[in-house]
Amino acid sequence: MIELNQLSRVFRTQDVETTALNKINLTVAEGEFVAVMGPSGCGKSTLLSVIGMLDSPDGGEYIFNGQNISGFGERKLSKLRKCSIGFVFQSFNLIDDLTVFENVALPLQYLKVKTKERKQRVDAILKQVGIDHRSDHLPQQLSGGQQQRVAVARALVIKPKLILADEPTGNLDSKNGEEVMAMLRQLNADGTTVIMVTHSEHDAKYASRIIRLFDGQIMLDKASDAACEVQYA
């Protein structure tokens, strides 16, 4: 699904040049659950942004589903991103003035999905993540765990090929964090590819593969030998 060849990303200011990704080579197959780990500033979030087509590399090659997208302009990247990738962020990124239903429906509006189908898909995904009873509530009326469920629903409603999660349990207590991780694990078991950035060794155990970055380079890439066997209730 994803192939990065000699991929680099450099940030420049007037006085400083920082290499966030240094000639990364990485392949992620469809159906994998990959945890990306490493100290702050090692390039984890930059890697996720490039894979998610929110940022562009300065060098190298990015092949997504067989297409070399390295030279794509923002319009083509935006269209591909909207149809193919769901994002789950640490800070939820919900719109305060919209209800749960409206937040989850938003990506479908961007894709110009018709009203009837939009309602059916949103209702189904809210039920799947166990938050359908809160569909008319605003985000500030929900707990952190409930808000993250909404964020997961919003990511899933487009039926993405890939879920990108950036510290998805970072703002949650342990119980809600476990529920969100179990949900991601079940989505992966159902066939969705998941790439997750995390500082948590515990959360990384849910993945089938762990990649460790340091100074913009992959220092370790191995199968997780402590993957949790969990079921989403």
Side-chain angles (χ1 to χ4, degrees):
M1 170 179 272
I2 292 168
E3 184 179 343
L4 309 180
N5 297 313
Q6 295 289 293
L7 189 133
S8 296
R9 180 68 174 102
V10 179
F11 294 100
R12 296 178 177 89
T13 65
Q14 187 173 354
D15 302 314
V16 180
E17 181 175 288
T18 303
T19 300
L21 299 175
N22 188 3
K23 296 183 178 180
I24 293 278
N25 293 306
L26 175 66
T27 300
V28 178
E30 188 172 348
E32 283 197 273
F33 188 159
V34 179
V36 180
M37 306 190 73
S40 296
C42 72
K44 301 187 300 299
S45 292
T46 301
L47 178 62
L48 208 68
S49 292
V50 170
I51 291 174
M53 307 174 200
L54 299 171
D55 193 10
S56 297
D58 294 298
E61 193 175 58
Y62 179 9
I63 298 171
F64 183 81
N65 270 350
Q67 296 184 85
N68 185 349
I69 67 169
S70 307
F72 279 20
E74 177 52 36
R75 182 173 294 183
K76 289 182 75 173
L77 287 174
S78 177
K79 184 177 180 180
L80 184 58
R81 182 173 63 238
K82 288 176 184 176
C83 297
S84 305
I85 303 175
F87 295 89
V88 180
F89 299 99
Q90 175 179 347
S91 56
F92 317 136
N93 285 11
L94 303 177
I95 298 175
D96 290 339
D97 294 336
L98 299 182
T99 66
V100 166
F101 183 97
E102 291 166 341
N103 267 283
V104 175
L106 203 56
L108 298 179
Q109 289 182 257
Y110 293 146
L111 294 173
K112 296 183 169 62
V113 174
K114 292 182 179 180
T115 303
K116 183 178 179 181
E117 182 185 350
R118 195 160 68 228
K119 185 177 186 310
Q120 290 173 342
R121 285 171 65 171
V122 173
D123 285 343
I125 206 69
L126 289 176
K127 186 174 182 179
Q128 181 180 337
V129 303
I131 201 69
D132 51 312
H133 62 297
R134 298 284 192 174
S135 64
D136 294 329
H137 288 65
L138 296 171
Q140 59 265 34
Q141 296 173 306
L142 306 178
S143 69
Q146 289 172 331
Q147 289 186 58
Q148 194 60 294
R149 284 176 180 267
V150 177
V152 171
R154 182 185 55 193
L156 290 177
V157 76
I158 64 168
K159 301 178 181 177
K161 299 178 176 69
L162 173 66
I163 290 284
L164 298 180
D166 193 356
E167 300 283 2
T169 67
N171 284 333
L172 303 178
D173 60 33
S174 58
K175 180 179 182 295
N176 283 307
E178 291 282 0
E179 290 179 356
V180 168
M181 288 310 305
M183 194 186 313
L184 290 175
R185 182 65 184 271
Q186 186 59 54
L187 292 170
N188 176 248
D190 292 338
T192 305
T193 306
V194 179
I195 301 178
M196 173 184 68
V197 161
T198 182
H199 280 100
S200 168
E201 296 286 348
H202 176 77
D203 288 357
K205 293 177 183 178
Y206 284 81
S208 54
R209 178 180 169 196
I210 296 176
I211 292 169
R212 294 187 185 272
L213 295 183
F214 187 76
D215 286 349
Q217 294 182 306
I218 294 175
M219 307 304 292
L220 180 71
D221 183 349
K222 69 167 189 172
S224 172
D225 53 13
C228 297
E229 297 298 331
V230 294
Q231 296 294 323
Y232 170 55

